[in-house]
Amino acid sequence: MMFNKRTSPYVTGKQDVSVIMRQVLYALVPGTLVLIWYFGWGMISNLLLAIVFAELLEWGMLTLRQRPVRPFLSDYSAVVTAWLLAVAMPAFAPWWLIALAMVFAVVIAKHLYGGLGYNPFNPAMIGYAAMLVSYPVQMTIWPAPLDFSFAHIGLGQAVQQVFAGGSQSWDALTAATPLDAVKVNLGLHKTLNEIYANGQFGLLAGQAWQWVSMGWLLGGLWLLWQRIISWHIPVALLGSLALMAGIFWMINPQVYASPLFHLFSGAAMLGAFFIATDPVSASTTPLGKLYYAGGIGAFTYIIRTWGGYPDAVAFSVIMLNMAVPLIDYYTQPRVYGTKRQQG
C-alpha cells in the first residue's frame, strides 16, 4: 500500500546532531581565522590541544560508562565544546590549563550529568569559569594583538611557551584586553577619552577584538540563515546588553562605555550566537528564550561594570542556565483549543 510520506508525523531527519555540530564548526571559522591572524601559533595550539584532550576524555568517559564510543565521538559535540573553550582561552595558554579546563567541561559538566542532552550547564563555560576562578593570572594574560611579533613566532617557540613556560621576556609582549583596560583605568579615575587615546582601541572597540567580534557575527548570521539557531536568543542578549549600556552611556559617557563598545568587546558576539544558543542548556520556549537571553545580557553588563571580572558572559550564561527550568515552566505556550485557567 502506498501512502504520502510528506505529511506529519514524518520528519526528514536532516538535522541530526552531527549535522548541526558541523554547521556550528563552519560558523566558527571566520572568527577563529581572525584570532589566528593576530595570535598565530598561540591560537592554533589552543585548538589542537583542546580537541585532543576533549576527544580523549570523551572516549574515556564513554568507556567507563559502557556506552558506544563511535557514535558519540563522531557527532562532533566534544569538538564544538573544545573549539569554544579554545577560542575563549588566552593564546599560548599552558597545556595543563587547557587539559584541566577540558576535564571540567567534558567530565564534570557533561558526563557526570548523564552525557549529551542531559547537561544543565554549558560545558565550555563551566570549564572556562572554573579556570578563571582558580587561575586568574594565567587566564588574564593575553598577548598584545597589535604586536605582530606574536603572529610570526615560530612553531618551536610556541611549543616551548605552551609546554615549558617559555621565556620571561614574553611578559613585555602581553597586554590587558580592552574590557580589562577600561575597567582598570576607570578605577584610576581616568575618563574614557583618556583611555581611548591609547592605540589599543579602534572605532568600535579594541583594534583586534572588534574584528574578532565581526567574525563571530558573520558566523552567527550564517547560523541564522541556515536555521540552526533562531533569532530570539541573539537578539535578546545583544539587545539587553546594548540597552543597559546605552542608558548608562547617556547618563555619563565619560564613565560608561558605549553600547557599540560592549557589543564588540569580549565574548558578547561569541556568547550571543554560539554559547547562549546551546540547545541543551538554553531555554526552549519562544518567550522563554527572550527572558533567558535578556537576563544573560543584563548580567553581563552588570558584572562588567560593577563586578570583579572585566568580561562576564561565562558567569551570566551559567547563572541563567540554572534558571532555565523555571523559565520554561512559566513560559509554556498555550495548547491550541484549550482555555487558560483563571485564578
Side-chain angles (χ1 to χ4, degrees), residues 33-98:
L33 289 178
V34 179
L35 283 170
I36 293 174
W37 170 260
Y38 283 109
F39 300 111
W41 285 107
M43 192 50 59
I44 294 174
S45 68
N46 279 14
L47 286 166
L48 293 177
L49 287 171
I51 292 172
V52 168
F53 286 132
E55 291 290 271
L56 288 175
L57 290 167
E58 185 87 348
W59 171 82
M61 291 304 299
L62 289 169
T63 303
L64 286 174
R65 296 176 59 209
Q66 299 182 345
R67 297 297 179 88
V69 173
R70 185 172 180 179
F72 289 101
L73 284 182
S74 61
D75 67 8
Y76 300 100
S77 61
V79 176
V80 169
T81 297
W83 199 301
L84 290 172
L85 194 50
V87 298
M89 301 280 282
F92 299 99
W95 69 269
W96 57 266
L97 191 68
I98 295 179

Side-chain angles (χ1 to χ4, degrees), residues 176-184 201 261-262 265-267 304 310-312:
T177 63
L179 280 171
D180 198 21
V182 167
K183 193 175 188 69
V184 170
F201 295 91
F261 177 84
H262 279 282
S265 293
R304 280 182 175 184
D311 200 2

Side-chain angles (χ1 to χ4, degrees), residues 182-224:
V182 167
K183 193 175 188 69
V184 170
N185 284 286
L186 285 175
L188 298 175
H189 306 292
K190 293 184 179 180
T191 66
L192 283 175
N193 282 340
E194 293 172 330
I195 298 170
Y196 290 161
N198 187 316
Q200 179 183 7
F201 295 91
L203 180 64
L204 302 176
Q207 289 262 11
W209 300 107
Q210 61 187 7
W211 297 113
V212 174
S213 294
M214 287 287 190
W216 303 138
L217 175 60
L218 179 63
L221 293 176
W222 189 79
L223 287 178
L224 287 172

Side-chain angles (χ1 to χ4, degrees), residues 29-286:
V29 168
T32 304
L33 289 178
V34 179
L35 283 170
I36 293 174
W37 170 260
Y38 283 109
F39 300 111
W41 285 107
M43 192 50 59
I44 294 174
S45 68
N46 279 14
L47 286 166
L48 293 177
L49 287 171
I51 292 172
V52 168
F53 286 132
E55 291 290 271
L56 288 175
L57 290 167
E58 185 87 348
W59 171 82
M61 291 304 299
L62 289 169
T63 303
L64 286 174
R65 296 176 59 209
Q66 299 182 345
R67 297 297 179 88
V69 173
R70 185 172 180 179
F72 289 101
L73 284 182
S74 61
D75 67 8
Y76 300 100
S77 61
V79 176
V80 169
T81 297
W83 199 301
L84 290 172
L85 194 50
V87 298
M89 301 280 282
F92 299 99
W95 69 269
W96 57 266
L97 191 68
I98 295 179
L100 192 55
M102 292 312 308
V103 169
F104 274 89
V106 175
V107 176
I108 297 177
K110 182 178 180 181
H111 281 283
L112 290 189
Y113 283 98
L116 182 66
Y118 296 95
N119 49 287
F121 303 104
N122 184 286
M125 292 301 95
I126 290 291
Y128 178 84
M131 294 304 97
L132 186 58
V133 171
S134 304
Y135 303 97
V137 175
Q138 289 85 351
M139 289 294 291
T140 54
I141 297 177
W142 272 88
L146 295 184
D147 193 324
F148 283 92
S149 59
F150 262 105
H152 297 295
I153 283 178
L155 176 60
Q157 292 173 292
V159 170
Q160 182 185 12
Q161 177 68 18
V162 171
F163 289 95
S167 170
Q168 293 296 321
S169 62
W170 282 36
D171 292 344
L173 298 177
T174 60
T177 63
L179 280 171
D180 198 21
V182 167
K183 193 175 188 69
V184 170
N185 284 286
L186 285 175
L188 298 175
H189 306 292
K190 293 184 179 180
T191 66
L192 283 175
N193 282 340
E194 293 172 330
I195 298 170
Y196 290 161
N198 187 316
Q200 179 183 7
F201 295 91
L203 180 64
L204 302 176
Q207 289 262 11
W209 300 107
Q210 61 187 7
W211 297 113
V212 174
S213 294
M214 287 287 190
W216 303 138
L217 175 60
L218 179 63
L221 293 176
W222 189 79
L223 287 178
L224 287 172
W225 181 58
Q226 292 291 314
R227 297 185 179 180
I228 302 298
I229 61 175
S230 68
W231 62 268
H232 301 77
I233 290 177
V235 169
L237 194 158
L238 297 176
S240 173
L241 177 59
L243 177 62
M244 292 198 66
I247 291 172
F248 286 95
W249 179 61
M250 288 188 291
I251 293 173
N252 191 342
Q254 287 304 313
V255 174
Y256 300 104
S258 70
L260 283 176
F261 177 84
H262 279 282
L263 291 177
F264 288 92
S265 293
M269 291 294 175
L270 181 67
F273 291 101
F274 296 95
I275 296 172
T277 54
D278 173 27
V280 177
S281 58
S283 180
T284 56
T285 66

